[in-house]
Every structure is written in C-alpha cells, then in structure tokens.
C-alpha cells in the first residue's frame, strides 16, 4: 500500500522530515499532515526491515500495536512501522508524547527527569492494553521526554511499584520492545534465534541456581555477591512473551544481587569501560573495594578520581551500592565507532557488566515474564552507572562459567 493511500484510508497524520529543525509558526504547523501524505513512500528496504522486526516480536493480524515516540521522531521510519503493521493486519496507533514544562509543584518521581517530563497514567493505561508495545527515541531532539519513564518512577495509576513493573510483570498481556540505534546498527545487531536460545540458557542457569557469584582476574580482582532469591534476567532483543520487556539488538544475562552482599575487590584495567566517564574506555587501572554491598574505596590515578567525583556528584549514599551484575552473550557486537559503545559494553560475549545505583522496579522477573525483570530489588538512587570488564573469570555457585573472557556453552557461550 502506498504511503498516501495508507494515510488517507486510516486518517493518520505525521510530521515532515524537517520537523526537528523548522521554526514554530502557523505555516509549519499547518503543513505537517499534508507533508506526510504527499511525501515519498517508505523504501522497500525500510518497510521490509520494520516488518521483520514486528514479525520477530510475534505481531499478528488482529493484535493491538502501540508505537510510542517523543513529539519529534524519524517520520520515515515510523511511517514504515505503521505500514508494516497494517500489512500484517494489526490494529493500533502511534503515540507522540507531548512535551511541556513541568509545574513547580509537579512530583517528577525521578531526580534525573529531563525538562518537559510529560508521561501520565493515560499513557501507561494505553501501553498496558497493547499486545505489542514499541517505545523509541529514533530521530528525537535531545531533551524531549522519552515515551517511557525511568526505572524507579511511578506516574501511572496502578498497583505496581513502578511503571516498568506495570508492563513487565507476570500476567501482563504486553510484549514491550525498546527500539534504538540507526538503521545500519540495527541491521548489524539484529536479534537471532541462536542468540536468543543461548541467552535464555544463561538466564535459566542463574534463575535455577540463585547462588553465590564470584569474579577473579589476573589483575587482582577477587569479588563475590549473592543472588539468593533473585531471578535470572535475559535480554536477547525480542519481546516474544507476554509481560516481557527487552532492548532491541541486545544479548546479555543479568541479575540484581542482594543489595548488601557484594564483598571484595574489582580491578578495572585499561580497555575496560565506565560509560559515564569521558573518554569511556579506560587508559589506566581503577581499583574498587566493596563492603556490605557498597563501593567503600576507589583507588588509582586520574581516572579513579574522576569516578569518585562522579559518584559523589549524585549526593546520595545509594549511588555507591551495587545495582546489577551480568555478562554478555552477543557474538557480533563490535567497536567501529562511538555509537557502538552502548551495545558493546553491555553485551560483548564473555564480558562482565556492572551497575551502581538504582535497581528498584525493573520488572517482576522469573519464568512468568519470559525471564525478564529483577524481582524484589530495593535499591533507589539517582544514578544507574555502568562499567564493563573484560578477560575476567566468573563462577556461579562454585561452577566456572567464564574463563578469561571465554563464556562456557552451558551458560550461553558459542561452544557446547
């Protein structure tokens, strides 16, 4: 179906490709829907790509599809999504979140909320009715509110701890995919059935074990924590289970350990990453000492002082607490430029991913959500600070799963 025919038939509107850069004027506002109707049709390549994503996330005829974006978005991509959903036979809508300045007395619920944080209970009630929900910031102008709230935030009128839990819980009907990256990276990171199987294998291992985790390294790391009572979490880039949330293009296994259980020393080496520091790839060692679940000492040179200053800048004791631990299962992520760092540090097969700070309300987790979510995690903080380590050793309940960065097959590695 041609774009203009599709839009006229469904009475859908859009914005021009110049939406983000155009001045705010009567002429600009009046031209948006006409521009979308008369604009070029989505390319066959883009339409096929979007349909492949929707079908991989099990969208079928008659299901309700909700595509949620900021007020400024990639028009061509979003129109291709809607056309692809129409061809499948789904029903639903695109939701563009209206930006507005917050009132002085508005409770944002999140210390890191950007200006114009504009989600309400109306948004979350709509999301909860979708069979497939895709939230995305593709094409968005920095500073506009995202189409979903952050971990730990609750603006919806529901009984769950957070808005994330409202969708990502056992019994939810909604399959929720967060969609990011440019088209080239989406194609390069595209989820596979084999990566899905391996990642689930690792998450089920953690879920069934729920034991002590250990990490050592040739650089002197000697660290442990407990995941007693906490479910295993899988991200393989597909929302293919009711109540499941995932990030497109990911491949990793994780858990939210007991908040007071981390003990020992982690030694970050040159080549490891702290994504909130710049440059993000370390060029010198940082030594972290954990006691009772918190980083209590940060030793090293200039980069260690930067890390200390970063965590102190949040002015909150829980900013130093362990949030999550996990490892990568993605066999094809690579560093070709700065745009790859987010995926690479999170997912590189055999690497370790840590976070300090917020872990509250990340989904109820377990088998009932397709192994998506953290369970009864409790840490609330204004940050969620990632760092990644490579070439380490790791054990689960005394069984070695990673040997100098090589992930064993039974835990999600490439070899059996």
């Amino acid at each position: 179906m041609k774009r203009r025919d599709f839009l006229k038939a469904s009475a859908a509107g859009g914005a021009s490709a110049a939406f983000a850069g155009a001045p705010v004027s009567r002429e600009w506002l009046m031209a948006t829907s006409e521009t979308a109707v008369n604009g070029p049709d989505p390319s066959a390549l883009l339409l096929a790509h979007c349909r492949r994503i929707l079908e991989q996330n099990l969208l079928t005829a008659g299901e309700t599809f909700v595509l949620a974006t900021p007020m400024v978005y990639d028009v061509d991509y979003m129109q291709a999504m809607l056309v692809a959903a129409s061809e499948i036979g789904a029903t639903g809508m695109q939701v563009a979140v209206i930006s507005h300045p917050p009132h002085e007395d508005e409770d944002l619920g999140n210390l890191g909320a950007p200006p114009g944080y504009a989600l309400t209970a109306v948004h979350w009630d709509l999301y909860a009715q979708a069979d497939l929900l895709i939230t995305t910031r593709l094409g968005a102008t920095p500073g506009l509110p995202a189409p979903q709230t952050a971990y730990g935030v609750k603006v919806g009128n529901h009984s769950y701890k957070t808005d994330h839990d409202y969708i990502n819980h056992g019994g939810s009907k909604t399959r929720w995919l967060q969609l990011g990256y440019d088209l080239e990276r989406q194609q390069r990171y595209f989820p596979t059935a084999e990566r899905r199987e391996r990642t689930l294998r690792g998450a089920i291992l953690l879920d069934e074990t729920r034991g002590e985790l250990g990490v050592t390294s040739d650089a002197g790391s000697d660290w442990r924590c407990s995941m007693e009572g906490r479910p295993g979490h899988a991200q393989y880039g597909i929302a293919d289970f009711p109540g499941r949330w995932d990030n497109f293009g990911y491949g990793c296994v994780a858990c939210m350990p007991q908040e007071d259980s981390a003990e020992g020393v982690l030694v970050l080496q040159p080549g490891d990453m702290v994504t909130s520091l710049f440059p993000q790839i370390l060029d010198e060692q940082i030594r972290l000492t954990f006691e009772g679940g918190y980083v209590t000492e940060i030793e090293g040179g200039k980069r260690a002082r930067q890390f200390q200053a970063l965590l102190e800048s949040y002015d909150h004791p829980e900013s130093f607490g362990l949030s999550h631990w996990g490892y990568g299962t993605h066999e094809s992520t690579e560093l070709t430029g700065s745009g790859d760092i987010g995926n690479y540090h999170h997912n590189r097969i055999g690497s370790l991913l840590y976070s300090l700070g917020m872990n509250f309300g990340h989904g109820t987790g377990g088998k009932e959500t397709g192994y998506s979510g953290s369970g009864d995690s409790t840490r609330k903080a204004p940050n969620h600070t990632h760092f990644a380590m490579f070439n380490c050793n790791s054990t689960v309940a005394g069984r070695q799963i990673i040997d100098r960065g090589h992930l064993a097959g039974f835990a999600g590695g490439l070899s059996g």
Side-chain angles (χ1 to χ4, degrees):
M1 180 182 288
K2 296 295 187 182
R3 171 193 274 192
R4 59 187 57 89
D5 294 336
F6 170 74
L7 289 174
K8 288 175 181 176
S10 62
S16 74
F19 187 80
V24 177
S25 68
R26 182 183 300 275
E27 292 76 15
W28 170 73
L29 288 173
M30 293 296 289
T32 55
S33 59
E34 180 181 355
T35 303
V37 170
N38 295 323
D41 298 328
S43 70
L45 174 64
L46 183 57
L47 187 57
H49 176 76
C50 290
R51 180 157 183 161
R52 186 182 176 199
I53 291 173
L54 295 178
E55 290 178 339
Q56 188 176 59
N57 288 274
L58 305 186
L59 186 66
T60 59
E63 284 198 317
T64 300
F65 172 51
V66 173
L67 176 63
T69 70
M71 199 166 71
V72 177
Y73 53 86
D74 185 325
V75 176
D76 290 335
Y77 196 112
M78 298 311 131
Q79 291 292 355
M81 270 289 178
L82 296 177
V83 171
S86 175
E87 291 180 348
I88 290 171
T91 187
M93 68 203 73
Q94 179 190 350
V95 178
V97 176
I98 298 172
S99 177
H100 70 90
H103 301 296
E104 290 185 3
D105 60 349
E106 185 175 359
D107 181 8
L108 300 179
N110 176 29
L111 297 177
Y117 211 67
L119 291 180
T120 69
V122 171
H123 296 88
W124 288 100
D125 287 343
L126 172 63
Y127 295 171
Q129 295 178 62
D131 294 297
L132 177 62
L133 167 68
I134 291 183
T135 55
T136 182
R137 289 183 56 82
L138 289 174
T141 301
L144 288 179
Q148 72 278 333
T149 43
Y151 303 141
V153 177
K154 179 177 178 177
V155 300
N157 183 20
H158 52 77
S159 61
Y160 294 91
K161 293 188 302 182
T162 67
D163 296 324
H164 206 100
D165 283 3
Y166 185 27
I167 307 298
N168 186 197
H169 71 267
S172 168
K173 67 177 290 188
T174 305
R175 309 183 301 275
W176 176 11
L177 181 72
Q178 288 187 212
L179 181 66
Y181 307 116
D182 55 42
L183 183 59
E184 185 275 329
R185 286 186 172 86
Q186 286 185 4
Q187 292 171 333
R188 180 149 48 93
Y189 301 152
F190 206 91
T192 68
E194 194 273 341
R195 189 183 310 137
R196 174 188 182 277
E197 188 277 329
R198 289 189 294 101
T199 305
L200 277 173
R201 192 189 313 159
I204 292 170
L205 172 68
L206 295 190
D207 195 70
E208 292 179 347
T209 303
R210 302 199 180 197
E212 183 176 274
L213 306 172
V215 173
T216 62
S217 72
D218 293 343
S221 296
D222 188 1
W223 180 92
R224 63 194 177 278
C225 68
S226 171
M227 63 173 297
E228 183 179 353
R230 298 292 168 84
H233 171 75
Q235 287 181 251
Y236 46 82
I238 310 171
D240 57 355
F241 193 94
R244 178 175 176 77
W245 162 85
D246 212 327
N247 270 310
F248 180 87
Y250 272 36
C252 61
V253 173
C255 70
M256 306 289 187
Q258 288 289 333
E259 284 75 10
D260 61 354
S261 66
E263 301 282 347
V265 173
L266 294 175
V267 183
L268 282 69
Q269 291 290 289
D272 291 344
M273 298 179 178
V274 182
T275 57
S276 297
L277 297 183
F278 298 93
Q280 294 163 306
I281 300 175
L282 297 180
D283 54 4
E284 63 181 29
Q285 188 179 99
I286 298 178
R287 181 183 175 93
L288 305 177
T289 299
F290 285 77
E291 295 180 7
Y294 296 88
V295 174
T296 57
E297 191 170 12
I298 303 177
E299 300 173 277
K302 177 181 178 180
R303 307 309 300 282
R305 293 192 294 274
Q306 288 178 334
F307 199 16
Q308 179 87 36
L310 171 69
L311 296 178
E312 289 176 347
S313 72
Y314 297 112
D315 193 27
H316 199 292
E318 296 303 313
S319 295
F320 289 80
L322 179 66
S323 168
H324 63 62
W325 173 94
Y327 58 87
T329 61
H330 202 305
E331 76 292 343
S332 62
T333 186
E334 56 183 345
L335 279 174
T336 64
S338 60
D340 291 314
I341 285 180
N343 192 281
Y344 187 90
H345 93 277
H346 209 293
N347 302 298
R348 177 62 184 171
I349 191 166
S351 64
L352 296 181
L353 175 69
Y354 286 85
S355 179
L356 302 175
M358 176 73 78
N359 72 5
F360 181 79
H362 195 293
T364 60
K367 185 176 182 180
E368 294 75 17
T369 62
Y371 301 98
S372 173
S374 64
D376 192 24
S377 51
T378 62
R379 179 153 282 137
K380 298 180 181 181
N383 64 309
H384 188 74
T385 304
H386 280 180
F387 62 92
M389 301 175 66
F390 304 92
N391 302 314
C392 294
N393 313 303
S394 187
T395 59
V396 172
R399 188 179 184 187
Q400 186 164 12
I401 62 169
I402 301 176
D403 181 6
R404 289 178 172 82
H406 176 74
L407 178 61
F410 69 86
L414 294 170
S415 59

